[in-house]
Amino acid sequence: MAFRRGSHLAMVFVRDRVPVRKHLIIFGQILSLILFIVVLYLTAQYVYLDMTIYHSTTMALGIPMWVYTTSSEVLSVAISKDGRYCIAGGMDGFIYLFNRTNSVPIWSYNLNSIINSVAISDDGKYFMCGCQDSYTYVFQNTSSSPLNTYSFSTEVSSVDISGDGNYIISGSKDGELKLGYIKSSNYL
Protein backbone atom coordinates (compact mmCIF):
# COMPACT_ATOMS: atom_id res chain seq x y z
CA MET A 1 0.00 0.00 0.00
CA ALA A 2 1.23 3.48 -0.66
CA PHE A 3 0.77 6.36 1.80
CA ARG A 4 1.77 9.97 1.54
CA ARG A 5 4.01 11.18 4.33
CA GLY A 6 4.98 14.76 4.10
CA SER A 7 6.08 15.36 0.55
CA HIS A 8 7.32 11.82 -0.11
CA LEU A 9 5.54 8.61 -1.04
CA ALA A 10 6.53 5.64 1.08
CA MET A 11 5.78 1.97 0.42
CA VAL A 12 4.48 0.16 3.46
CA PHE A 13 3.76 -3.54 3.16
CA VAL A 14 1.04 -5.42 4.94
CA ARG A 15 3.65 -7.43 6.87
CA ASP A 16 4.84 -4.22 8.52
CA ARG A 17 1.37 -3.78 9.99
CA VAL A 18 0.99 -7.37 11.24
CA PRO A 19 2.78 -8.23 14.49
CA VAL A 20 5.67 -10.63 13.98
CA ARG A 21 5.61 -13.81 15.98
CA LYS A 22 9.08 -15.14 16.70
CA HIS A 23 7.99 -18.74 17.04
CA LEU A 24 6.66 -18.73 13.44
CA ILE A 25 9.99 -17.41 12.20
CA ILE A 26 11.91 -20.09 14.10
CA PHE A 27 9.51 -22.79 12.85
CA GLY A 28 10.03 -21.64 9.25
CA GLN A 29 13.80 -21.68 9.64
CA ILE A 30 13.74 -25.20 11.11
CA LEU A 31 11.45 -26.41 8.32
CA SER A 32 13.79 -24.90 5.70
CA LEU A 33 16.78 -26.61 7.32
CA ILE A 34 14.99 -30.00 7.33
CA LEU A 35 14.08 -29.58 3.66
CA PHE A 36 17.69 -28.70 2.82
CA ILE A 37 18.97 -31.81 4.64
CA VAL A 38 16.47 -34.06 2.80
CA VAL A 39 17.49 -32.66 -0.59
CA LEU A 40 21.18 -33.03 0.30
CA TYR A 41 20.63 -36.67 1.39
CA LEU A 42 18.71 -37.56 -1.79
CA THR A 43 21.35 -35.94 -4.00
CA ALA A 44 24.16 -37.82 -2.23
CA GLN A 45 22.25 -41.10 -2.56
CA TYR A 46 21.66 -40.48 -6.29
CA VAL A 47 25.37 -39.85 -6.90
CA TYR A 48 26.27 -42.95 -4.84
CA LEU A 49 23.90 -45.11 -6.90
CA ASP A 50 25.31 -43.69 -10.13
CA MET A 51 28.83 -44.61 -9.08
CA THR A 52 28.06 -48.08 -7.69
CA ILE A 53 25.33 -49.35 -10.02
CA TYR A 54 25.77 -47.40 -13.23
CA HIS A 55 29.53 -46.80 -12.84
CA SER A 56 29.06 -43.21 -13.89
CA THR A 57 28.16 -39.86 -12.46
CA THR A 58 26.85 -38.50 -15.74
CA MET A 59 23.36 -40.01 -15.90
CA ALA A 60 21.58 -36.71 -15.32
CA LEU A 61 24.10 -34.48 -17.05
CA GLY A 62 23.74 -35.81 -20.59
CA ILE A 63 27.47 -36.48 -20.90
CA PRO A 64 28.40 -39.78 -22.61
CA MET A 65 29.64 -42.54 -20.32
CA TRP A 66 32.10 -43.56 -23.03
CA VAL A 67 32.87 -42.95 -26.70
CA TYR A 68 33.98 -45.41 -29.40
CA THR A 69 34.82 -44.41 -32.95
CA THR A 70 34.37 -46.77 -35.90
CA SER A 71 36.16 -46.39 -39.21
CA SER A 72 33.05 -45.03 -40.96
CA GLU A 73 29.40 -44.03 -40.56
CA VAL A 74 27.27 -45.92 -38.03
CA LEU A 75 23.83 -46.65 -39.52
CA SER A 76 22.09 -48.51 -36.70
CA VAL A 77 22.40 -49.03 -32.94
CA ALA A 78 20.39 -50.93 -30.33
CA ILE A 79 20.51 -51.50 -26.58
CA SER A 80 19.09 -54.35 -24.50
CA LYS A 81 16.13 -53.59 -22.26
CA ASP A 82 18.25 -53.77 -19.10
CA GLY A 83 20.89 -51.55 -20.71
CA ARG A 84 23.66 -54.12 -20.25
CA TYR A 85 24.48 -54.74 -23.92
CA CYS A 86 24.75 -52.38 -26.89
CA ILE A 87 25.27 -53.22 -30.55
CA ALA A 88 26.16 -51.11 -33.56
CA GLY A 89 26.66 -51.59 -37.27
CA GLY A 90 27.23 -49.47 -40.31
CA MET A 91 29.24 -48.62 -43.39
CA ASP A 92 32.46 -50.37 -42.31
CA GLY A 93 30.77 -53.80 -42.41
CA PHE A 94 31.53 -54.62 -38.78
CA ILE A 95 28.97 -55.43 -36.12
CA TYR A 96 30.12 -54.41 -32.63
CA LEU A 97 28.96 -55.77 -29.26
CA PHE A 98 29.58 -53.60 -26.19
CA ASN A 99 28.98 -53.86 -22.49
CA ARG A 100 27.59 -50.52 -21.33
CA THR A 101 30.41 -50.07 -18.79
CA ASN A 102 33.28 -50.27 -21.28
CA SER A 103 34.04 -48.55 -24.59
CA VAL A 104 36.14 -51.48 -25.80
CA PRO A 105 33.93 -53.89 -27.78
CA ILE A 106 33.38 -57.32 -26.24
CA TRP A 107 33.89 -58.46 -29.82
CA SER A 108 33.35 -57.32 -33.38
CA TYR A 109 32.68 -59.31 -36.54
CA ASN A 110 33.37 -58.30 -40.13
CA LEU A 111 30.43 -59.15 -42.41
CA ASN A 112 32.07 -57.53 -45.47
CA SER A 113 28.81 -55.74 -46.23
CA ILE A 114 27.19 -52.50 -45.17
CA ILE A 115 24.95 -53.10 -42.13
CA ASN A 116 21.62 -51.29 -42.51
CA SER A 117 19.82 -52.37 -39.34
CA VAL A 118 20.54 -54.03 -35.98
CA ALA A 119 18.28 -55.38 -33.24
CA ILE A 120 18.81 -56.96 -29.82
CA SER A 121 16.61 -59.14 -27.62
CA ASP A 122 15.36 -57.67 -24.34
CA ASP A 123 17.72 -59.84 -22.29
CA GLY A 124 20.67 -59.08 -24.60
CA LYS A 125 21.31 -62.78 -25.32
CA TYR A 126 20.55 -62.59 -29.07
CA PHE A 127 21.02 -59.90 -31.65
CA MET A 128 20.84 -59.62 -35.40
CA CYS A 129 21.66 -57.41 -38.32
CA GLY A 130 20.41 -56.87 -41.85
CA CYS A 131 22.92 -56.10 -44.59
CA GLN A 132 23.19 -54.81 -48.13
CA ASP A 133 24.50 -58.23 -49.25
CA SER A 134 20.88 -59.54 -48.94
CA TYR A 135 21.60 -61.50 -45.74
CA THR A 136 20.35 -61.38 -42.17
CA TYR A 137 22.72 -62.61 -39.49
CA VAL A 138 21.75 -63.77 -35.97
CA PHE A 139 24.32 -63.87 -33.15
CA GLN A 140 24.51 -64.83 -29.49
CA ASN A 141 26.33 -62.47 -27.15
CA THR A 142 28.80 -65.25 -26.24
CA SER A 143 30.22 -65.73 -29.76
CA SER A 144 31.25 -63.51 -32.65
CA SER A 145 30.35 -66.23 -35.16
CA PRO A 146 26.83 -66.02 -36.62
CA LEU A 147 24.36 -68.47 -35.07
CA ASN A 148 22.20 -68.41 -38.21
CA THR A 149 22.26 -66.71 -41.60
CA TYR A 150 19.15 -66.02 -43.70
CA SER A 151 19.06 -64.89 -47.32
CA PHE A 152 16.80 -62.45 -49.18
CA SER A 153 16.50 -61.67 -52.86
CA THR A 154 17.51 -58.02 -52.27
CA GLU A 155 19.15 -55.78 -49.67
CA VAL A 156 17.83 -56.16 -46.09
CA SER A 157 16.66 -52.80 -44.80
CA SER A 158 15.17 -53.54 -41.37
CA VAL A 159 15.34 -56.23 -38.65
CA ASP A 160 13.81 -56.80 -35.22
CA ILE A 161 13.62 -59.40 -32.43
CA SER A 162 10.51 -60.10 -30.35
CA GLY A 163 10.53 -59.06 -26.70
CA ASP A 164 10.77 -62.68 -25.52
CA GLY A 165 13.71 -63.32 -27.88
CA ASN A 166 11.99 -66.19 -29.70
CA TYR A 167 11.12 -64.62 -33.05
CA ILE A 168 12.87 -62.49 -35.65
CA ILE A 169 11.47 -60.44 -38.49
CA SER A 170 13.29 -58.90 -41.42
CA GLY A 171 12.28 -56.62 -44.27
CA SER A 172 14.00 -56.06 -47.58
CA LYS A 173 14.12 -53.24 -50.15
CA ASP A 174 11.76 -55.12 -52.49
CA GLY A 175 9.01 -55.16 -49.81
CA GLU A 176 9.48 -58.76 -48.69
CA LEU A 177 8.97 -59.54 -44.97
CA LYS A 178 10.19 -62.74 -43.34
CA LEU A 179 9.25 -63.98 -39.86
CA GLY A 180 11.22 -66.76 -38.22
CA TYR A 181 12.06 -68.61 -35.04
CA ILE A 182 15.41 -67.35 -33.75
CA LYS A 183 16.89 -70.84 -33.21
CA SER A 184 15.87 -72.12 -36.64
CA SER A 185 18.00 -71.83 -39.75
CA ASN A 186 14.89 -71.12 -41.85
CA TYR A 187 12.17 -68.51 -41.71
CA LEU A 188 8.63 -69.74 -40.95
Side-chain angles (χ1 to χ4, degrees):
M1 294 191 280
F3 297 95
R4 183 178 176 150
R5 292 188 184 157
S7 61
H8 302 301
L9 281 177
M11 298 299 293
V12 178
F13 296 97
V14 174
R15 75 168 176 84
D16 290 342
R17 296 200 176 270
V18 176
V20 179
R21 298 189 180 170
K22 288 186 180 182
H23 67 280
L24 288 177
I25 293 173
I26 293 171
F27 177 74
Q29 290 173 341
I30 291 172
L31 193 60
S32 296
L33 181 63
I34 290 170
L35 182 62
F36 175 76
I37 291 170
V38 168
V39 169
L40 184 65
Y41 170 77
L42 292 175
T43 302
Q45 189 171 9
Y46 182 74
V47 169
Y48 171 77
L49 289 175
D50 269 358
M51 293 179 72
T52 58
I53 294 175
Y54 302 113
H55 306 291
S56 167
T57 58
T58 63
M59 295 291 287
L61 300 177
I63 301 169
M65 293 171 65
W66 52 259
V67 174
Y68 181 83
T69 303
T70 64
S71 62
S72 63
E73 182 180 356
V74 175
L75 298 176
S76 185
V77 295
I79 189 167
S80 61
K81 189 172 184 176
D82 64 1
R84 186 172 175 196
Y85 294 104
C86 311
I87 60 170
M91 299 292 284
D92 65 359
F94 280 87
I95 187 162
Y96 302 91
L97 174 66
F98 296 93
N99 184 304
R100 88 160 169 258
T101 61
N102 194 337
S103 66
V104 177
I106 296 170
W107 57 257
S108 61
Y109 185 80
N110 188 356
L111 294 165
N112 295 311
S113 178
I114 294 172
I115 299 169
N116 293 326
S117 180
V118 297
I120 191 166
S121 62
D122 285 352
D123 62 4
K125 185 176 179 182
Y126 296 102
F127 58 96
M128 67 185 295
C129 63
C131 301
Q132 282 189 1
D133 66 358
S134 305
Y135 285 95
T136 298
Y137 302 89
V138 176
F139 297 85
Q140 282 188 295
N141 63 10
T142 56
S143 172
S144 63
S145 298
L147 180 67
N148 287 314
T149 303
Y150 307 94
S151 66
F152 276 80
S153 56
T154 62
E155 179 179 337
V156 178
S157 55
S158 185
V159 296
D160 204 2
I161 300 176
S162 64
D164 62 7
N166 289 324
Y167 298 96
I168 58 173
I169 190 165
S170 304
S172 64
K173 292 257 180 174
D174 65 356
E176 185 178 26
L177 292 171
K178 290 185 179 181
L179 176 69
Y181 186 63
I182 201 160
K183 294 180 182 173
S184 171
S185 59
N186 298 314
Y187 278 98
L188 298 176

